[in-house]
Structure formats: structure tokens, C-alpha cells
Amino acid sequence: MKKPHYAWFVCAGCAMLLFCTSGLCVNAFTIYQPYILSLNGFTNAQSSLIVTVRSLFGFGSMLLTGVYYKKLSLRGGMGLAGLLTVVGFVLFGAARSFAAYALAAAVVGVGYGFGTMIPVSMVMERWFIEKRTLAVGLCSAVTGLSTLGIPSLLTWLIEKYGLSATFYMEGGVIAVLALGSFLLVRSRPADIGLKPYGSWDAAAAELGGRERTGSLAKKDWLLLIPMLLCVGAFTSVGYSHITVLAKGAGFAPHTIALAVTVSGLALMASKFGYGWLEEKLSTYATNWIFGGLLIAGLILCCVTGGKTLLLYAAMIVYSMGLPLGTIGLTAWAGDLSSPEQYDATIQRFQTGYAAGGLVFSTLPGILADRFGGSYVPAYMFFIACAAFTVAVIQRVYRKAGLAG
């Protein structure tokens, strides 16, 4: 049996880190939100502000990614990001005031900014000549595990052992996974005497003969920047508030946890599916498919009406569309930049996404306080953001001659 190329082990190491810095710290963290809100007597706005702090420091860290990874190797920088995430969860466990929660969120935000899709995309660019989008999809799909069973487990742990103890236990799990990631990941193939996976001829065939020419002009960014802000809104902020949306609609905590768990299967499958479809069809066609799923899912989030089946449908369809705002950024950067421009382009895309998460992070809580505790108005705004995103990115692809 032929031994797998080490690139796939690097992919596994990146997946482990993403599971910690993105899956557990963002996707699964939404389970903590209602408990933080009720146990500490915080307002909806304060609860949202914890996410704002995380987003603020994540955004600031992404702005410094270029400097950070010049000082440290990709492997070393990702390892430090994992360590910071562990420290953040220890601080969450010790938090007894809003200021303490904000400090913990800041540390986790730094780990997120330095340890998610920017370095992972850069590592995949160095290790994969072909199958790159599929590899990124596999890495990112693992974050869906954070919504598969873990929400129910976290709910059980919080109710049995308390909020602080659960934070400490999760921090221990993150420490083990971050160490495993560090042991597997290498910054580039040459570090261990290997060449990247695949051939340039096969890579060209994947792209259907298209070349990466770096077609983005300055005026393209006039639309891309607000588009990226919208991506951060419906992806990061939207998912972070999905449990409080459900709670406001009258669903019980265990029902919400089960719905999030069911959506995890859809999230994992759809992230893999985005990479697979992007190779079989085109990024342009894949954008239409996942954009439609995203908008439909957000609409369902607004009309659950306390009906459990509609809640499950909303969670599943929304999760199936989310790869548009995660793996899509990596695919778009690959299509719309030359290899030499890739690192800078993916950093700009991810930083814009983080900025959107920051700018709009307090909006759901503010609107909920204004509209009697309902988060539906916020999700109506996310629908508009998703529609705008699909319209803009497809326009850019048509202008670049990539609408095949």
C-alpha cells in the first residue's frame, strides 16, 4: 500500500489547530453564551460585547499576521497561537466579572487571529500544488466536530459541574490537541526534505486551464471591502448568536444543543462538499449553490415560530451555506491572485472578514434590547448581507473572466 504524502499529515495538524481556535472558540462557544448571560446577570449588549472583544483582538492580530509570521515560522507561530487559546480558556474559568470575561476573550481572540485560516491557507499553499481547496475544505470541515455532540456535552457539563469547571476541562482538551498539531505541522516541505503534493499539470487541469493572474484592481476593493464585512457578519456574528436566537424563540436548552449538534453534521459535510464541488464544477458555480443555501437558512432562522422541526431545518440549511464565508475566502484568494500575491490576498480577505465580525458583533444584542429581546431583526440584516455578498463576488468573477 502506497504511503500517504506527508502533506496530508500536515493537513491533519492544521485541522487539529482549527478545531481548537475556530471550532471550540467560536462555533461551540455559542453554547456558553446563555449561561454567561444568566449566571452573571449581564445584559444582552454585554453578552454580545464579549464576542466583540474577541473579534477586536482577533482582527488586530490578523492585521499583524505578516509581521508575526516573519518573526516566527508558520509552525512556531501556530504553536504559540494554540498556547494562547489554552490560556484564554483558563482565564474564562477564573472569570467572575465582566472585565475578567473581556480579558479572557481578548487572549482567545489573539489565538484566533494568529491561528486560524490565514496561516492554515499559507501552509496549504506551500504543501499542495493540486487538491489545495479540497485540503482546505478537509481542514475546515473538522471544525464542524465542535457542533457534533459537543454542544450537548458542554450543556451537560455546565449543568452538572458548573461553568468554570467546564471552561477548565475544555482548556485541557485544547492543550492536548494544540500539542499534537505542533508535532505534525511543518512550515514547508523543504524543512523535511520533501516536495509539495501534486504536479503543476494536474493543478492546471483542476483549474480548467485558467491561470492565476492576480486580476484584482484597486476599484474592485471598493466593493470587496464592504462585502468582506458582510461575510464576517453572517458567518461569525450570525453563528455566535444562533443559540440566543433560539432561546428567544422559546426553545429549551437541550433542544437548542441537539439542534446545534445536528447542524454540525451538515457543517462538516458542506465544508468538504464545497472543496469537492469547486474542483468538479467551478468556484463561480459553487458560489451560487452555497449562496442560495445560506440565504435560505437565514430566512428559516427568522420564521421558526417555536416549532422544533423548523429550528432543525434552519440550523441545517444555514450551516450548509456557511462554507461560502469560510472556505470561500481561500478559494477566492486562490482564483483572484497570482501565487506571489496569495499570502497578501488571503490576509486581506481574512482581515476583512474579521473586521466584519468586529463591526457587527454588538448589533444583535443592541437590536434585541431594542425589540423586546428578539434576535430576528438581526438575522433579517444577515439575510441582506448574504445577498450582497453573493452579488458582489459573482460580479468580480464575471469581470475577471472566471464565470465558467
Side-chain angles (χ1 to χ4, degrees), residues 136-157:
V136 172
L138 289 170
C139 285
S140 186
V142 174
T143 63
L145 288 172
S146 62
T147 58
L148 185 59
I150 289 179
S152 296
L153 175 61
L154 289 176
T155 299
W156 180 80
L157 288 172

Side-chain angles (χ1 to χ4, degrees), residues 192-214:
I192 52 175
L194 295 177
K195 294 182 179 179
Y197 175 84
S199 67
W200 292 110
D201 289 342
E206 284 184 7
L207 292 171
R210 294 181 280 114
E211 294 184 1
R212 296 169 58 187
T213 58

Side-chain angles (χ1 to χ4, degrees), residues 80-170:
L80 180 56
L83 178 60
L84 287 170
T85 305
V86 175
V87 172
F89 269 77
V90 171
L91 291 174
F92 269 127
R96 297 295 181 271
S97 66
F98 176 76
Y101 276 104
L103 174 61
V107 176
V108 168
V110 174
Y112 172 82
F114 287 143
T116 48
M117 288 305 297
I118 294 178
V120 167
S121 297
M122 291 163 65
V123 170
M124 295 297 98
E125 172 79 6
R126 288 155 175 76
W127 273 95
F128 287 87
I129 293 175
E130 58 178 295
K131 305 292 183 185
R132 184 180 299 120
T133 303
L134 179 61
V136 172
L138 289 170
C139 285
S140 186
V142 174
T143 63
L145 288 172
S146 62
T147 58
L148 185 59
I150 289 179
S152 296
L153 175 61
L154 289 176
T155 299
W156 180 80
L157 288 172
I158 292 171
E159 295 187 355
K160 184 173 179 62
Y161 298 106
L163 188 61
S164 293
T166 304
F167 274 127
Y168 289 138
M169 285 186 276
E170 189 166 345

Side-chain angles (χ1 to χ4, degrees), residues 201-259:
D201 289 342
E206 284 184 7
L207 292 171
R210 294 181 280 114
E211 294 184 1
R212 296 169 58 187
T213 58
S215 57
L216 290 177
K218 288 184 178 179
K219 59 183 179 180
D220 290 325
W221 290 99
L222 295 176
L223 283 175
L224 284 173
I225 290 173
M227 182 206 77
L228 292 168
L229 295 177
C230 286
V231 172
F234 66 69
T235 302
S236 177
V237 184
Y239 202 87
S240 294
H241 288 82
I242 196 72
T243 54
V244 287
L245 170 75
K247 182 181 179 182
F251 294 102
H254 289 288
T255 300
I256 296 171
L258 182 59

